Amino acid sequence: RILEAYCSHLVEIEDRSFSVSCSIGIATLGRLAKNSTQVIAGARKAQAEASATGNVAVTFRPQLIAVNSSEDDRPWIDRLKLALKHQDFYAVQQSIIDLDGEGAHLVENFVYMRDDAGDQAPYQYLAIAERNDLAGLIDRLIIPGLLKSFVETSDRQIVSLSVNSILDYSFTGWLSEQMTECCVEPGKLVLQVNVAAALANLKPVQRLMHDLERIGCKLSISAFDAERRSRQVLEHLNASYIKIQPALSDKLSGNTERQEV
C-alpha cells in the first residue's frame, strides 16, 4: 500500500510536477533473530537491493549456503561421498505433455542415488547434500552424461540445479565447455532453480540467468506456489518456464482462489 501511494503521488513545485519513487527493505523478527543489530542490517541489505531496482519492496532472506554438518547428517554424508566415488547417480526422465499439442516437447530429468537401502529420490538426499557442499559435485558428475544423451533427441531437456552450483561462479563456464564437447545445442537445455533458492539467492540467480542467456540456455523456476513473494520473483527473473506445485492444480475447476493464482 505504501508503494502504491508513493507511485501515484505527484510533487508540484510552481509550474512543474515530479513523480516519486519508493524502495523498501524489510527484515522479519523471527525466532532466528539474535539481536536488533542483525535485524536492522538485514533490512538495510534488502533496502539496498530494492533501490537498485526501484519501486519495489524486498524482504531480507539469508542465503542458502553450505553450513557445518551436524551429527545427524554424518551417516548421509558418508553415503553421499561413497555414491560420488562409485558414480552411483543416474537420471530418470519424465515427459511433459503439451495439452495444446503445440510447442517444444519438454523432458524433465530427476537424479536418483543408488543405495543399499534402496534408490533415493532427490527430495531424500538433496537438502543434506547442499548443506554439506556436496550437491555441486553431484551436478558436475551427472550433467556430462545427460548432455551426451541429449545429442540424439530434439526434446528440450530440463535439469534441476543445486544451490551449491548456483553459488559457484565457475559453473556456467564449465557448463558451456561441456556442451561444446558434447556438441549439444544450447537451446535444448533448460536449467531449473527452486523458487525458495531463488528467493534466498536472488543476485546469484540473476547472474546465472544472464550467463545462461549469453550461452543460449533457458531458465525454469520450480516449486512455484501461491505465495506473493514467489510471484514477485518473476519481476526479477526472466524465466522461460515455471513449474507449479501440484497442490495448486488440485481440484482447480471448483476453486476460484487457485484459478486466480
Side-chain angles (χ1 to χ4, degrees):
R1 290 198 296 269
I2 292 172
L3 280 176
E4 291 173 357
Y6 267 86
C7 291
S8 61
H9 185 63
L10 288 177
V11 176
E12 296 185 359
I13 301 176
E14 296 180 349
D15 59 342
R16 303 180 67 184
S17 297
F18 301 91
S19 60
V20 179
S21 67
C22 180
S23 302
I24 300 173
I26 302 166
T28 55
L29 267 170
R31 59 186 177 83
L32 297 179
K34 294 180 180 178
N35 52 56
S36 59
T37 303
Q38 181 193 58
V39 176
I40 293 169
R44 284 179 173 156
K45 184 175 181 180
Q47 194 278 329
E49 184 179 322
S51 55
T53 304
N55 282 328
V56 295
V58 174
T59 301
F60 173 75
R61 301 185 189 285
Q63 285 195 348
L64 296 176
I65 57 174
V67 297
N68 293 330
S69 60
S70 67
E71 288 301 316
D72 291 340
D73 285 354
R74 178 50 54 189
W76 266 104
I77 293 171
D78 294 338
R79 291 160 71 182
L80 287 163
K81 287 182 176 178
L82 188 64
L84 280 164
K85 180 179 178 181
H86 295 290
Q87 301 188 8
D88 281 334
F89 291 91
Y90 66 94
V92 173
Q93 295 186 326
Q94 177 177 310
S95 293
I96 300 171
I97 306 302
D98 190 333
L99 298 181
D100 288 332
E102 299 176 359
H105 185 205
L106 295 169
V107 175
E108 187 169 4
N109 294 266
F110 300 90
V111 179
Y112 283 73
M113 182 181 82
R114 294 187 184 91
D115 189 74
D116 292 339
D119 290 5
Q120 306 294 317
Y123 74 88
Q124 294 173 294
Y125 70 81
L126 184 58
I128 298 169
E130 287 180 332
R131 276 203 302 273
N132 296 281
D133 209 18
L134 294 171
L137 298 176
I138 298 171
D139 289 342
R140 295 205 181 207
L141 173 68
I142 200 74
I143 286 175
L146 283 175
L147 291 175
K148 291 173 184 175
S149 72
F150 298 164
V151 176
E152 301 299 327
T153 177
S154 60
D155 299 335
R156 187 165 284 171
Q157 304 281 342
I158 299 174
V159 178
S160 291
L161 204 59
S162 70
V163 174
N164 298 154
S165 291
I166 291 169
L167 298 176
D168 182 355
Y169 277 64
S170 67
F171 175 79
T172 45
W174 172 85
L175 177 65
S176 181
E177 291 175 0
Q178 295 298 316
M179 287 194 299
T180 301
E181 288 182 16
C182 297
C183 301
V184 173
E185 298 173 22
K188 285 185 179 180
L189 185 60
V190 180
L191 273 296
Q192 187 162 260
V193 173
N194 185 283
V195 71
L199 283 164
N201 303 279
L202 186 57
K203 290 295 184 184
V205 176
Q206 285 178 324
R207 172 186 50 78
L208 173 71
M209 176 189 69
H210 294 314
D211 287 346
L212 292 177
E213 289 175 348
R214 178 173 48 80
I215 62 179
C217 298
K218 305 286 187 183
L219 178 70
S220 172
I221 301 176
S222 66
F224 214 79
D225 55 27
E227 294 293 325
R228 182 171 175 270
R229 63 193 185 98
S230 295
R231 297 197 294 275
Q232 285 178 323
V233 166
L234 298 182
E235 297 174 9
H236 304 283
L237 297 176
N238 182 28
S240 298
Y241 303 97
I242 61 170
K243 179 182 179 182
I244 64 172
Q245 287 186 344
L248 270 182
S249 58
D250 185 38
K251 300 178 181 177
L252 188 60
S253 61
N255 192 315
T256 55
E257 183 178 346
R258 289 178 188 172
Q259 291 173 22
E260 288 283 337
V261 173

